[in-house]
Amino acid sequence: MRDSDLFAPFSPVVLLDGAQIGRLTVRAASVRGDSHNWEGSCRQDAMAVTRIGPPEAELLLLAVADGVGSALYSHVGSYQFSRLTAVYLDREAEDIHAALCARDGEELRVLATKAVAGAAAELRSGWARAAQHQPRPYADQDYATTLHVLLIPVDARIRDRVLFSVGDGGLFVLREGRWEQGDPEGGEDLLDTRTEALPHAYRSVKATVLRTVPGEVLLLSTDGVTNPLTQKDPEFARRLADAWGGPEVPSMSDFLWQAQTRAKSYDDDRTVICVWEEQG
């Protein structure tokens, strides 16, 4: 605590959350990885589960962020970006809802880029002011983090969802017992060590619109889960599909246990949010 980083000492090893909104059920867990346990460092992943927008345009917002391992304050960046971006997206919620209903991918990208840029500007200003009283000058790269935000309309008649992305990690869909990438155009970049990151190393926010049906399971995660799935670890993928593709939604405690399923050679933080939709 005496090195001026007042966030790390209070960062919990595990976060667990969930929600029941109409036919949607959410389970969310963020767990410190073995590598950070061995080093005695804090969890650099973050997540958020909330709702934005007015009743007529309400959206379920799910966010995961993965602080870049080499960045000194990436745990702060991931935590604050995942929350403040939700605030800025709430200001655009009606327009996002309308663009999603119209399947207007370009408008969604513009709105997401505007929201993320607003959050980045506010955070950078605050971090720069705080650094004036610290021995280390402010640097963007100290707070580097990825960010993925999934928005799902609460109105069950609307079948489209949108994923806003900066950096690695991403979305998978469990269909008929198999995991399919929810943002296939970004698949080539999932393991790229030059991944984009906030607040400085990105051009714009990627927007991916997808359509799902009740019974499919959406999985939003940092690369602690998406990397093993992307690399097609059959045992890891099968165990998660068996755990989360059954007839019953797991309890909060079961989900936390299942989220820690071992994957050989992967010891990073692991943050995963799953969404189930009851069939009408």
Side-chain angles (χ1 to χ4, degrees), residues 65-242:
D66 182 356
V68 175
S70 59
L72 185 62
Y73 301 126
S74 66
H75 51 289
V76 177
S78 63
Y79 177 87
Q80 294 190 355
F81 260 113
S82 61
R83 283 153 178 76
L84 193 57
T85 299
V87 173
Y88 274 81
L89 286 171
D90 180 54
R91 299 173 186 175
E92 310 291 339
E94 290 94 334
D95 290 339
I96 291 172
H97 191 275
L100 188 55
C101 290
R103 295 182 61 84
D104 189 341
E106 179 57 24
E107 177 65 9
L108 287 166
R109 187 192 65 78
V110 169
L111 291 167
T113 299
K114 175 183 176 183
V116 170
E122 182 173 334
L123 289 173
R124 290 166 108 171
S125 177
W127 293 332
R129 287 196 304 272
Q132 293 175 1
H133 307 287
Q134 305 298 336
R136 182 184 177 96
Y138 172 74
D140 274 346
Q141 57 267 33
D142 282 347
Y143 295 85
T145 182
T146 67
L147 180 67
H148 294 269
V149 180
L150 177 64
L151 296 178
I152 302 175
V154 171
D155 186 342
R157 296 170 297 180
I158 303 172
R159 302 310 317 160
D160 291 315
R161 290 84 175 89
V162 62
L163 175 70
F164 297 141
S165 304
V166 175
D168 56 12
L171 182 69
F172 278 77
V173 183
L174 183 60
R175 293 187 173 108
E176 299 179 352
R178 297 190 309 181
W179 293 107
E180 299 179 8
Q181 224 166 297
D183 51 344
E185 293 180 2
E188 298 284 331
D189 300 327
L190 286 176
L191 302 180
D192 189 347
T193 58
R194 299 166 301 173
T195 185
E196 294 186 330
L198 298 166
H200 64 300
Y202 80 106
R203 294 180 296 273
S204 66
V205 180
K206 179 183 172 186
T208 303
V209 178
L210 66 153
R211 179 165 293 184
T212 63
V213 299
E216 296 176 341
V217 181
L218 299 179
L219 179 153
L220 181 70
S221 180
T222 57
D223 59 11
V225 170
T226 59
N227 275 0
L229 288 178
T230 302
Q231 291 191 345
K232 312 241 185 294
D233 181 328
E235 178 62 17
F236 179 80
R238 182 190 63 78
R239 290 178 68 182
L240 291 190
D242 289 347

Side-chain angles (χ1 to χ4, degrees), residues 224-225 228 235-237 239-240 243-244 255-264 266 270:
V225 170
E235 178 62 17
F236 179 80
R239 290 178 68 182
L240 291 190
W244 296 337
F255 183 79
L256 175 60
W257 174 69
Q258 293 154 355
Q260 298 176 79
T261 297
R262 294 287 180 178
K264 187 176 180 180
Y266 291 97
R270 182 174 291 182

Side-chain angles (χ1 to χ4, degrees), residues 3-84:
D3 63 357
S4 79
D5 182 1
L6 298 180
F7 190 90
F10 298 103
S11 296
V13 172
V14 173
L15 283 180
L16 186 63
D17 202 353
Q20 180 74 51
I21 304 170
R23 294 181 179 178
L24 300 173
T25 302
V26 180
R27 297 285 182 262
S30 184
V31 182
R32 185 169 69 176
D34 288 341
S35 59
H36 290 158
N37 287 332
W38 295 329
E39 296 165 358
S41 54
C42 72
R43 177 174 46 82
Q44 295 174 321
D45 277 8
M47 68 180 191
V49 177
T50 189
R51 289 187 280 182
I52 63 172
E56 67 275 10
E58 192 171 28
L59 299 161
L60 171 64
L61 181 148
L62 310 171
V64 299
D66 182 356
V68 175
S70 59
L72 185 62
Y73 301 126
S74 66
H75 51 289
V76 177
S78 63
Y79 177 87
Q80 294 190 355
F81 260 113
S82 61
R83 283 153 178 76
L84 193 57

